[in-house]
């Protein structure tokens, strides 16, 4: 997303201030925010012209000409969602806000249609044995199982490529030749692929110690058995705007107790809850990490991502969550594999 600092205005700004911002930023729009960075509205050249025709001058306040019901997109909206909104409203750009209306960025529609290639690495963990999906994985690594008539891993690679993330690293182990023979150098899929060979199980974080070329920009880490419609560009922007060392995508998980729960204190029954539902956040297996995080990963040892995050939390580093509202499915068992095939055409 575009840097929005150069586009911001306060409600008490003048028309002259607005014209300077619109002219300097060359985006045909200014964004009006309050002191908490909540989006109050937008201002375009057209809004200013109408104000001048009504008798305002360059020193007049913009308050009366702010467009206070602009079309916005949420941080959780996919690329497809945003394009659909923009095309329907014939917009060239859309402000991006969080659930509380806080301004996070602005998306240019031209960039969505033709995304710029980004240098951030995408590291995909695809070396697992897939034991819970046997016998399907006896001769095929789990990421290469077909969902929607193409390997799971191909869908993941193509989704990253849609957002301009073309530098892919595949951490391979089990049946690695199957993955290499299919993807080769990635050029057929519009990406650049390099491979890391795990000679022993390294865990979801340990394999990062084997990187030949250490990332200099924030990078993605994702399990290779997931299907999701998450907007990777929004995750990237969210990570940077929060100055995070590590960002973990989380998914809300509901669990209903199948019985009446009895709350007791000192043998006295206080209440009875009939089949209550408990809600938790669980890791979605997708992360955005800053390069300095690699210093916390031991060399050539098994090391899982939860262990890494626990260490960073204990050292009070800035570790944040990114709630997923989009489609997400972890294909770990046969029933989930079946579900993925049933839903694929509708979702993707």
């Amino acid at each position: 997303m575009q840097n929005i600092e150069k586009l911001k205005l306060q409600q008490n700004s003048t028309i002259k201030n607005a014209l300077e911002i619109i002219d300097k930023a060359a985006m045909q729009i200014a964004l009006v925010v309050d002191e908490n960075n909540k989006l109050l509205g937008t201002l375009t050249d057209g809004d200013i012209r109408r104000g001048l025709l009504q008798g305002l001058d360059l020193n007049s306040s913009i308050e009366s000409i702010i467009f206070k019901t602009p079309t916005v997109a949420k941080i959780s909206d996919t690329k497809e969602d945003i394009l659909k909104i923009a095309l329907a409203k014939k917009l060239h750009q859309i402000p991006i806000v969080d659930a509380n209306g806080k301004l996070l960025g602005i998306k240019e529609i031209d960039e969505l249609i033709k995304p710029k290639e980004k240098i951030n690495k995408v590291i995909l963990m695809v070396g697992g044995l897939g034991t819970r999906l046997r016998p399907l994985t006896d001769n095929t690594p789990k990421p290469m199982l077909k969902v929607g008539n193409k390997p799971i891993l191909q869908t993941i690679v193509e989704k990253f490529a849609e957002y301009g993330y073309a530098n892919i690293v595949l951490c391979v182990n089990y049946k690695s030749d199957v993955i290499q023979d299919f993807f080769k150098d990635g050029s057929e899929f519009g990406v650049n692929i390099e491979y890391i060979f795990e000679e022993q199980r390294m865990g979801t974080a340990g394999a990062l110690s084997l990187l030949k070329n250490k990332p200099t920009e924030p990078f993605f880490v994702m399990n290779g058995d997931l299907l999701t419609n998450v907007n990777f560009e929004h995750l990237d922007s969210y990570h940077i705007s929060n100055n995070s060392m590590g960002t973990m995508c989380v998914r809300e998980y509901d669990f209903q107790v199948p019985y009446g729960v009895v709350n007791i204190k000192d043998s006295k029954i206080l209440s009875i809850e009939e089949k209550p539902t408990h809600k938790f956040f669980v890791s979605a297996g997708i992360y955005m990490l800053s390069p300095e995080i690699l210093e916390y990963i031991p060399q050539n040892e098994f090391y899982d991502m939860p262990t890494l995050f626990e260490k960073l939390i204990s050292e009070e580093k800035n570790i944040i969550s990114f709630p997923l509202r989009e489609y997400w499915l972890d294909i770990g068992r046969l029933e989930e594999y079946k579900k993925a095939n049933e839903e694929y055409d509708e979702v993707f």
Side-chain angles (χ1 to χ4, degrees):
M1 288 184 284
Q2 292 288 333
N3 179 3
I4 52 174
E5 293 306 315
K6 60 185 179 182
L7 300 175
K8 289 182 182 178
L9 278 173
Q10 296 294 317
Q11 197 166 208
N12 59 359
S13 299
T14 66
I15 288 178
K16 184 179 180 181
N17 298 146
L19 282 172
E20 288 171 346
I21 281 182
I22 291 172
D23 181 59
K24 191 174 181 180
M27 285 189 65
Q28 303 174 321
I29 195 171
L31 306 173
V32 185
V33 297
D34 66 12
E35 63 275 8
N36 297 315
N37 204 41
K38 185 173 182 179
L39 182 65
L40 301 177
T42 59
L43 207 58
T44 65
D45 182 73
D47 296 321
I48 292 173
R49 288 179 188 276
R50 284 187 286 274
L52 294 175
L53 289 172
Q54 292 167 8
L56 299 180
D57 60 37
L58 293 181
N59 294 315
S60 298
S61 168
I62 64 169
E63 190 169 1
S64 65
I65 58 171
I66 297 170
F67 181 57
K68 296 180 179 177
T69 55
T71 299
V72 299
K74 297 290 178 59
I75 188 73
S76 59
D77 286 339
T78 66
K79 174 182 173 180
E80 291 78 11
D81 292 334
I82 297 172
L83 268 177
K84 193 181 294 183
I85 295 167
L87 293 173
K89 298 287 185 75
K90 298 181 180 179
L91 301 174
H92 295 290
Q93 60 273 116
I94 296 182
I96 307 296
V97 299
D98 66 11
N100 298 315
K102 181 180 177 181
L103 181 65
L104 300 175
I106 188 167
K107 182 71 71 176
E108 288 194 88
I109 305 310
D110 286 347
E111 282 189 4
L112 286 177
I113 297 169
K114 285 188 175 182
K116 294 178 183 176
E117 187 169 319
K118 303 171 180 69
I119 64 174
N120 310 75
K121 284 185 180 293
V122 176
I123 302 168
L124 302 176
M125 301 298 173
V126 293
L129 300 176
T131 52
R132 292 180 297 166
L133 279 167
R134 287 178 177 165
L136 298 177
T137 52
D138 284 344
N139 299 304
T140 305
K142 181 165 59 169
M144 295 302 292
L145 292 176
K146 287 191 174 181
V147 174
N149 294 319
K150 67 173 68 173
I152 297 166
L153 185 54
Q154 182 180 344
T155 296
I156 295 173
V157 168
E158 289 174 346
K159 292 302 289 184
F160 273 105
E162 280 182 25
Y163 289 97
Y165 299 103
N167 295 313
I168 311 289
V169 180
L170 300 181
C171 298
V172 297
N173 178 271
Y174 178 66
K175 303 286 183 184
S176 61
D177 56 315
V178 176
I179 296 174
Q180 277 189 287
D181 290 346
F182 185 85
F183 286 99
K184 300 182 176 63
D185 65 357
S187 56
E188 185 180 336
F189 303 91
V191 298
N192 310 304
I193 292 181
E194 58 181 288
Y195 298 87
I196 290 178
F197 295 90
E198 299 179 37
E199 295 182 4
Q200 60 188 18
R201 291 185 67 237
M202 298 293 291
T204 47
L208 299 178
S209 71
L210 304 178
L211 286 171
K212 299 167 191 172
N213 302 311
K214 303 298 184 185
T216 57
E217 300 288 334
F219 59 95
F220 298 90
V221 177
M222 178 171 167
N223 297 343
D225 55 359
L226 302 176
L227 287 177
T228 181
N229 254 341
V230 63
N231 188 319
F232 294 114
E233 200 170 45
H234 285 181
L235 172 57
D236 187 352
S237 298
Y238 185 81
H239 175 85
I240 292 170
S241 65
N242 284 280
N243 195 28
S244 171
M245 181 179 281
T247 303
M248 175 190 291
C249 291
V250 296
R251 185 80 175 177
E252 193 173 87
Y253 178 78
D254 297 345
F255 172 74
Q256 185 174 36
V257 179
Y259 310 102
V261 173
V262 182
N263 298 310
I264 299 173
K265 183 178 181 181
D266 298 330
S267 77
K268 183 178 180 180
I269 296 176
L270 301 178
S271 63
I272 301 173
E273 297 177 75
E274 187 61 33
K275 298 180 180 179
T277 298
H278 296 282
K279 294 186 177 183
F280 310 90
F281 280 105
V282 298
S283 171
I286 308 169
Y287 311 88
M288 190 88 192
L289 308 177
S290 291
E292 59 266 31
I293 213 168
L294 295 172
E295 300 170 9
Y296 294 83
I297 300 173
Q299 294 293 311
N300 298 312
E301 288 183 24
F302 181 90
Y303 204 66
D304 257 331
M305 202 63 78
T307 306
L308 172 61
F309 270 71
E310 285 169 2
K311 179 176 179 59
L312 295 169
I313 292 166
S314 70
E315 296 193 15
E316 298 184 347
K317 301 299 180 183
N318 188 28
I319 303 301
I320 65 172
S321 62
F322 182 86
L324 291 186
R325 311 293 180 196
E326 304 87 346
Y327 180 84
W328 176 89
L329 183 63
D330 177 2
I331 306 172
R333 299 172 298 176
L334 287 170
E335 53 263 44
E336 290 150 353
Y337 179 65
K338 180 181 177 183
K339 182 181 181 185
N341 273 291
E342 291 171 348
E343 298 174 342
Y344 187 89
D345 287 342
E346 182 182 349
V347 175
F348 295 96

